[in-house]
Amino acid sequence: MRQSIFISGAAQGIGAAIARLFYQQGYKVGIYDINVDQAQILADQLGPHAKAGKLDVSQYDQWQVALGEFVEWAGELNILVNNAGILYSGDFEKTDIAAHHRTININVNGVLNGCHAALPYLKKAAFARVINLSSASAIYGQADLVSYSASKFAVRGITEGLDTEWQKYGIRVLDVMPLFVQTSMVKDMDAGSIKNIGVDLTPQDVAHQIFALAKAKGTILTATHTPVGIKTKVMYQLSSISPQFLNRLSNLVLTRKS
């Protein structure tokens, strides 16, 4: 029996790259997105073992419907990837408060909704894993990306808490922490960090890391957090050993606008 993967925000970018890779590896793939037409185009391109559907991750009832129809089609839910997310950049006070609230609603509540609605199905599966999309922005709070960075800190906390709590069910909850990725999300982004650090990662880089986590044995030796890319790995390691004032100083340098 083919294992299955359900991906939120899967119509484009990182989500679409995940869908393509897992389909190529023999999985049944759920491509769910608020843009259902684009999701359906991708599913049609992939073939009969791909299913598209509509999902606004901020709406819990839509999660219930989407997961129910997916499991009925796939047989069981093995891997949930909470990928859907948005980003607003620029000066905190110049960003409309509704945009800050929308960031939290999608990036944080979307993950809470997904994990909560998926658990009954994950508990029934022979193998089950959750992989969340966190970010290098969850290493240290980022200027010009305050609500986005805060949302990814929340994802990091959700991941850590559930990875511990759901041990009783044999379910690992992991995340990946990429730096900036070549997607439409970072196009025209107004933040000093992207200008100073650059955009080196591709959606395929992130997808391959997620596939590695999906295949890894679920022992305690599998790290809860996985930085993606050399720059992120260096930042992640340094943040754990550097004094707080040095972490702040390095972020001031990296996020300074010219």
Side-chain angles (χ1 to χ4, degrees):
M1 179 178 174
R2 290 172 179 258
Q3 287 195 343
S4 69
I5 180 170
F6 182 106
I7 311 156
S8 69
Q12 61 183 336
I14 294 172
I18 298 167
R20 290 190 183 96
L21 177 60
F22 276 80
Y23 193 93
Q24 292 165 2
Q25 296 297 324
Y27 283 73
K28 292 183 178 179
V29 178
I31 302 167
Y32 283 76
D33 200 284
I34 197 167
N35 186 341
V36 68
D37 291 337
Q38 194 169 351
Q40 187 62 59
I41 290 171
L42 178 57
D44 291 341
Q45 290 173 348
L46 292 180
H49 297 297
K51 177 176 176 56
K54 183 177 178 60
L55 175 62
D56 177 347
V57 296
S58 68
Q59 303 300 311
Y60 186 73
D61 60 340
Q62 290 194 26
W63 271 103
Q64 292 176 303
V65 171
L67 287 166
E69 67 179 28
F70 175 75
V71 172
E72 183 177 357
W73 171 78
E76 65 179 13
L77 172 64
N78 299 113
I79 302 169
L80 168 66
V81 178
N82 284 304
N83 168 73
I86 61 170
L87 178 153
Y88 293 95
S89 62
D91 295 344
F92 175 79
E93 67 277 13
K94 293 179 182 176
T95 302
D96 192 88
I97 192 62
H100 290 301
H101 289 173
R102 185 165 182 258
T103 300
I104 299 302
N105 202 22
I106 292 173
N107 295 7
V108 181
N109 292 344
V111 174
L112 289 172
N113 288 341
C115 291
H116 195 278
L119 181 59
Y121 301 108
L122 295 169
K123 286 166 64 176
K124 294 177 182 178
F127 169 85
R129 184 157 294 175
V130 177
I131 303 175
N132 297 323
L133 267 290
S134 185
S135 168
S137 295
I139 297 174
Y140 196 92
Q142 295 298 296
D144 308 316
L145 295 168
V146 170
S147 54
Y148 177 79
S149 183
S151 75
K152 294 305 181 178
F153 269 95
V155 171
R156 178 175 176 169
I158 293 166
T159 303
E160 291 175 358
L162 288 182
D163 194 32
T164 301
E165 185 174 333
W166 286 1
Q167 282 189 41
K168 60 191 175 188
Y169 305 127
I171 301 170
R172 289 300 308 269
V173 182
L174 312 172
D175 67 27
V176 291
M177 304 175 74
L179 201 55
F180 303 117
V181 182
Q182 296 168 14
T183 68
S184 59
M185 182 180 286
V186 302
K187 186 178 180 181
D188 301 321
M189 195 170 118
D190 179 20
S193 53
I194 194 170
K195 296 178 178 67
N196 295 326
I197 296 173
V199 184
D200 298 325
L201 294 174
T202 67
Q204 291 73 29
D205 292 328
V206 182
H208 281 284
Q209 185 61 72
I210 288 173
F211 182 72
L213 289 178
K215 300 301 290 183
K217 294 182 179 179
T219 69
I220 196 169
L221 297 178
T222 302
T224 304
H225 306 299
T226 301
V228 183
I230 297 299
K231 292 178 182 178
T232 315
K233 291 176 182 177
V234 171
M235 292 168 60
Y236 185 75
Q237 293 299 323
L238 289 177
S239 70
S240 65
I241 60 175
S242 299
Q244 190 177 94
F245 79 92
L246 283 181
N247 291 332
R248 181 174 183 273
L249 181 61
S250 64
N251 273 270
L252 282 170
V253 172
L254 289 174
T255 60
R256 183 175 295 148
K257 293 182 179 180
S258 56

